[in-house]
Structures are given as structure tokens and as C-alpha cells.
Amino acid sequence: MTSSKRPPAGVLDRGLWLLSQFSMERKKLPLKELASLSGLDKATALRLLKVLVDWGYLVKNADGSYSPGPSNLRLASIYRATSNTITRIEAPIARISERVGQTTAFFVRSGEERICLARDHAYQDFRYFIEVGGSVSLSEGGAAAQLLMAYSGEAGERHDETRGRGYYISRGERNRHFASVAMPLFESDGQFLGALTITGLAVDLPDDDLIGFVDIVRAEVAGAGLSLSR
Amino acid sequence: MTSSKRPPAGVLDRGLWLLSQFSMERKKLPLKELASLSGLDKATALRLLKVLVDWGYLVKNADGSYSPGPSNLRLASIYRATSNTITRIEAPIARISERVGQTTAFFVRSGEERICLARDHAYQDFRYFIEVGGSVSLSEGGAAAQLLMAYSGEAGERHDETRGRGYYISRGERNRHFASVAMPLFESDGQFLGALTITGLAVDLPDDDLIGFVDIVRAEVAGAGLSLSR
DNA sequence: GATACATATTTCATTGAATGAAATTTAGAG
DNA sequence: CTCTAAATTTCATTCAATGAAATATGTATC
């Protein structure tokens, strides 16, 4: 298992690059694997890992493998406290999912990933996991990813279309049986914040229904001083 | 405002050192302040900050200041998913706080800090905040901090006593009107996990009550395969 | 309990990335 | 528009980072 990408140059970049190797699918990784996944020499990786463990961003498990550590909770809780977006979006999300009877979630772009900042607590389909903090590569699609790309300056005809339309509908793009509609969310001053999505079983959701959701969302987020266009 | 401590040497250490400057009290910091707090040259700090922003561990606000970014949520959610301690302790915590009618929380040591991994949802006193992810320096006391020091190999008569006693009671140590009892939590194989604390208004909680809580906790955590001694 | 294999850790001479003082630019206040 | 403070860029010097090789540790296998 060799690395898919070349490792970055700087030491701090390399440390964070190591952290980026962890995911919900790869929660625990031994040195060997971290070295090969990251493309770093194992001695180099080992030195960086020591530092990350010292600071609590990773922990070294009894079996010698590494996994994310408690310091991440610390920063996450500060992040949550500063992000007024999260606090403001939670109430609208609850009302939207109530009204449409489907899963509602909010995503932001971070680098080449999309991260879930909030989701409703009501509709948990075991076939379709969305966790707060969960992230997937933008290239792995989904409505949220397409929308985030379109509204964060990505060029291309497909993205032009999305921007013109003001929403993006996907059917089975990321998860075979599901359909989603994603909408851009803007601060009152016009700043782009992220993507709000409504997802449910494809068989329950013809395109017309998904398009109809847009108006519901527009109405609900307005109460929090947010809008779907600049 | 000059730095209290000398900055570490390695680049990765320095990057994480910068991250450690943020806290619930200092959620947003401009370059100037980060440089002086960390003791790093502002050019050096700026370069490191760029990297941290690129990876989403910090965000640069409109006013030029920095604060923790969404990538921390990503790692925090992986951490939460790997930490079976958190999942196992949540149910006992809920039952304990129910039985004793006070705030119950669980803390681990990370470096020179104590981080809250879990707390009950029942007793939220606005004068006594404990947030999941919240952290304070071990030196700033509190029962949890004293207990974590005693059980993570710290030397000293005070810590010997705590280890001998098997719990630590504080009255107004960290927060004037409150009293707490902290107990060590062990994995079934004897591994020390962290400190479980029960906190409430000092006037409601004579020492005898606090000591009585120990047996309740012992009984409740046993159900999750945890114990209060090796 | 000895042997072999795989993974983790340490070492150290070489190299190139990190450094920070100074110069320059940008932004806000008056 | 001018002044001041903060942010950013530059670049010659230096010191921390590097990684190949040697060594150690752990764990299956016979």
C-alpha cells in the first residue's frame, strides 16, 4: 500500500498531513501504515508522531497503533463556541427536518473536504450516516460537495450551471438509494457560508419535491438572518 | 503582553504551541498577540499560521484575527468514535447524576491540562460551566486536576495522600461556592483512565455526603466494567 | 525455548528548510 | 490626506530536519 499523493515539504505540513490520514474508516493506524499512506520515511513519521502524541493530538494505543487524541476535543469545542454559524443554523435545521420529514444537515468546505457542522437529530437512517464532524473528500461527490465546489470559486460548466440554478440535486450519487438537494447558505452581508442539504430515500423524493424544499429552507433560514442568495 | 514561557524548538511543536494559545477565554487572537503570547517572531508565527489555516485547523476571521477551524471537528469526531471510554462512561454518568442530584463529569489528563470528555446533561448551573472539550491547566486546581496529577505519577506528599485515600475533595478550590469529589477511574486491566467528579454547591454538600458518593459511583461504573481502584 | 520475520526505534553525517531582523505594504484612526 | 500600528514579504545565515542503515523489540512458528 503505497501513498497516493506526495507528502508536503514543511514539517508542520507533514505533521498535519499525517493527521489527515485518519478518517472514520481508518481510525487507528500503525507507524508502518502511516508511513506508507503518507509517503514519509518511517523515521520521519515516527518523529512527527511523537510530537503529536506529546501534545495529545494523537494517542498511542496499547498495540502500538495511533489514533486521534483528546486535544482535538478541546479545539473543537472552542471552534463550536466561535462559530456563530453553527449556533444559528441549528434551530432552522430542526424546523426544516420537521417540516419536510427528511434528514437535514449543514456542511462547510475545508480544503478538499466537506465537513458536517450540524445535522438534525430526528431522521437517522442506518443506511445513511451523517455525523457532526464527519468529512469526505469533495471528489467523492454528493450534493453538498458539488454545491460547495460551485460556490467556492471552482470553474467549469457544471459549476456555472449550479450557480445559475441556485441549488444542486443528486440522485444516488454518493449513496445508491438516496437523493439530496443542496443549497448555498449566505450571511446577510453576502458571505458564502456552506451547503445545507436535505436527504432521503430516492423513491420517496421526486425532483419536484426536492425543488419544493428550497422555498421551505429559504423561509426557515431567514429567521436566523441567513439567505440562499447574495 | 510578553510570553510567559519560551517557545519550543521544532516546527511542528511550534505550530501546536500556537494552537495551544487558544482557549475558551481567548477564542480569537490577532497575529500580534499570538506572536507575543507564544514568544515567536511574528514572521515565524505568520508562516506557521498560514499552514494551520490552509489545513483548516485555524480560520482567519474578517478582522484578520485567527480562531480554531472546522478540521478540529473532524478529528474530534474520530476521537470520540475510537474512545470507548467515552461511550462506556456516558450511561453511568447519567445514572450517577440522577442518583446524587449533582453535576457529574469525566476528565482526562492531556499534557498539563485536564480535558472534559463527558458530563451529564441534567444539572447545568450557570455559575459553574463544564463543557465537553473544555480544558484548564492542571495548576489551576480543582478536584479533577489534583486527582489526575496524583494518579499520573506526580510525586509529592499531597499526591501520596490522595492515592492512599482513593478520592480527592475540594471546597471552593477552583470556584468559590462549589465543592467537588474526584475519583480515579480504572479499566478492568488496571489501566488508569481519568477522573470522575461530582460537583455541587458547597452549602449543599458536607464532606460526608461527598464521601458517600464514592460508593454510589463505584457501584454504577462497575456496570460498565470500570472500577475505582486497580 | 529457539528461530525467523515483521515492525518499531535509534543513530548520525548531510542537507535544505526554518529563521528573524529589516524593509515594505496595508489598513484604520484622526 | 497623514500618521501610526499591524501585517506581510524578503533574503542571507543557521540550525533543525532528514533518511539510509544499524539496532532493538515483539510475535508468530517450529
Side-chain angles (χ1 to χ4, degrees), chain A residues 40-62:
Chain A
L40 294 167
D41 185 276
K42 65 184 151 59
T44 303
L46 187 69
R47 250 178 294 119
L48 300 178
L49 290 169
K50 276 213 183 82
V51 175
L52 292 165
V53 168
D54 280 347
W55 288 87
Y57 291 95
L58 291 178
V59 290
K60 191 168 187 181
N61 305 111

Side-chain angles (χ1 to χ4, degrees), chain B residues 3-47:
Chain B
S3 77
S4 37
K5 287 174 184 171
R6 292 298 86 217
V11 179
L12 182 52
D13 281 283
R14 287 178 165 195
L16 303 177
W17 173 242
L18 277 174
L19 289 182
S20 75
Q21 304 305 318
F22 293 89
S23 67
M24 279 301 190
E25 291 71 43
R26 303 174 182 281
K27 299 189 189 74
K28 290 179 59 185
L29 297 167
L31 171 63
K32 171 87 185 292
E33 206 154 337
L34 278 164
S36 78
L37 282 170
S38 67
L40 293 168
D41 185 276
K42 63 181 153 60
T44 303
L46 187 69
R47 250 176 294 118

Side-chain angles (χ1 to χ4, degrees), chain B residues 7-127:
Chain B
V11 179
L12 182 52
D13 281 283
R14 287 178 165 195
L16 303 177
W17 173 242
L18 277 174
L19 289 182
S20 75
Q21 304 305 318
F22 293 89
S23 67
M24 279 301 190
E25 291 71 43
R26 303 174 182 281
K27 299 189 189 74
K28 290 179 59 185
L29 297 167
L31 171 63
K32 171 87 185 292
E33 206 154 337
L34 278 164
S36 78
L37 282 170
S38 67
L40 293 168
D41 185 276
K42 63 181 153 60
T44 303
L46 187 69
R47 250 176 294 118
L48 299 179
L49 290 169
K50 276 213 184 82
V51 175
L52 292 165
V53 169
D54 280 347
W55 288 86
Y57 291 95
L58 291 178
V59 289
K60 191 167 189 182
N61 305 111
D63 64 0
S65 68
Y66 297 84
S67 45
S71 291
N72 299 295
L73 272 194
R74 197 185 81 85
L75 287 169
S77 95
I78 302 173
Y79 171 64
R80 221 175 282 137
T82 38
S83 166
N84 46 36
T85 306
I86 296 184
T87 26
R88 280 160 69 201
I89 201 65
E90 274 172 347
I93 280 180
R95 281 197 301 272
I96 292 164
S97 79
E98 183 65 29
R99 282 183 65 180
V100 305
Q102 307 290 342
T103 301
T104 309
F106 177 67
F107 299 91
V108 294
R109 176 174 184 165
S110 176
E112 294 306 309
E113 307 238 302
R114 73 128 237 216
I115 300 181
C116 175
L117 294 198
R119 60 151 298 172
D120 70 80
H121 299 296
Y123 301 90
Q124 316 255 8
D125 193 305
F126 72 93
R127 291 156 300 184

